Amino acid sequence: MTPRANGSRAEEQRQRILAAAVGVFSRRGYRATSMNDVAAGVGLSKPTLYHYVATKQDLLVQVYEQVLDESLASARTIVAAAATPLDAVRGLIVERVAYTCEHRDLLKICFEEESELPPELAEPILERRRAFEAVVHDAVEAHLAHTGTDLGMPTRLYVNTCLGAANWAYKWFRPDGPLTPRELGERVADVQLAVLQR
């Protein structure tokens, strides 16, 4: 066995553990979940689980890091590929709605368990969130500067409204409904972009 193979297998096991934790946290809530529950969810003994993760809190932090790192990377890619600032804003809104609908278990944890993070662990996560929000804010500002549009409200308020609507979709989106996550994202974007195109 090469070190690369060992590392790859260990990472695969960590991802399985994280997926199991997401499932259990989402169903039972973080506080009501024990490491025994996570171990059972992934089919490992508790001592083996502790070989890969030190605490339940570490798993919660990893959930936040995964969501925010994926969101930030995706947002930067969308902005870099957009033909215009307005296209960038549309792409960001559509993607945020779609991601939220496609990862409802993850988003449920992120929005409902934040109080479980102690301040020293919460601050780096908040920095990631602010970085993501800054990408959206800058795209809106670029559009306003490009078109001379008067938004009629602070840009931060507009961005928070857009993201709030997108993020809340984890509560009410139904996979068996008439729209796919991306189609829903397009509809939400149509409504929100109307403010930018007055």
Side-chain angles (χ1 to χ4, degrees):
M1 262 184 253
T2 66
R4 182 184 295 272
N6 285 336
S8 175
R9 266 196 280 279
E11 182 55 30
E12 191 177 304
Q13 189 72 286
R14 286 187 189 93
Q15 289 304 313
R16 288 182 60 237
I17 291 166
L18 185 59
V22 166
V24 182
F25 290 167
S26 180
R27 284 192 310 275
R28 302 189 60 185
Y30 173 80
R31 190 166 291 193
T33 298
S34 69
M35 288 295 268
N36 281 332
D37 297 325
V38 176
V42 78
L44 296 174
S45 68
K46 195 171 175 183
T48 302
L49 178 67
Y50 279 118
H51 176 72
Y52 294 99
V53 60
T55 67
K56 186 172 72 165
Q57 209 167 57
D58 289 343
L59 286 170
L60 185 61
V61 169
Q62 287 175 40
V63 170
Y64 282 95
E65 289 176 347
Q66 177 180 322
V67 169
L68 291 168
D69 288 350
E70 287 177 355
S71 297
L72 182 57
S74 174
R76 287 173 172 161
T77 299
I78 288 167
V79 171
T84 68
L86 187 64
D87 289 338
V89 178
R90 171 176 283 281
L92 290 166
I93 293 170
V94 172
E95 178 59 26
R96 190 73 215 147
V97 173
Y99 184 90
T100 300
C101 294
E102 291 164 353
H103 300 89
R104 286 175 300 144
D105 286 354
L106 280 171
L107 275 295
K108 179 179 181 182
I109 295 165
C110 286
F111 295 131
E112 297 179 11
E113 304 291 358
E114 192 170 331
S115 63
E116 298 295 338
L117 292 169
E120 68 274 12
L121 295 179
E123 186 52 37
I125 288 166
L126 290 174
E127 285 177 15
R128 282 175 159 93
R129 181 180 297 162
R130 286 190 287 265
F132 170 76
E133 291 169 354
V135 173
V136 182
H137 183 277
D138 291 350
V140 174
E141 287 278 296
H143 168 73
L144 297 176
H146 179 70
T147 61
T149 302
D150 178 12
L151 187 54
M153 68 180 82
T155 304
R156 180 74 54 206
L157 176 58
Y158 174 76
V159 168
N160 287 344
T161 300
C162 291
L163 294 179
N167 291 336
W168 197 249
Y170 88 94
K171 279 279 197 183
W172 52 262
F173 174 74
R174 296 292 173 263
D176 59 352
L179 298 175
T180 67
R182 197 151 295 277
E183 288 168 343
L184 178 61
E186 293 286 353
R187 300 284 180 89
V188 172
D190 286 343
V191 172
Q192 294 175 336
L193 293 185
V195 178
L196 298 181
Q197 296 172 295
R198 292 183 297 187

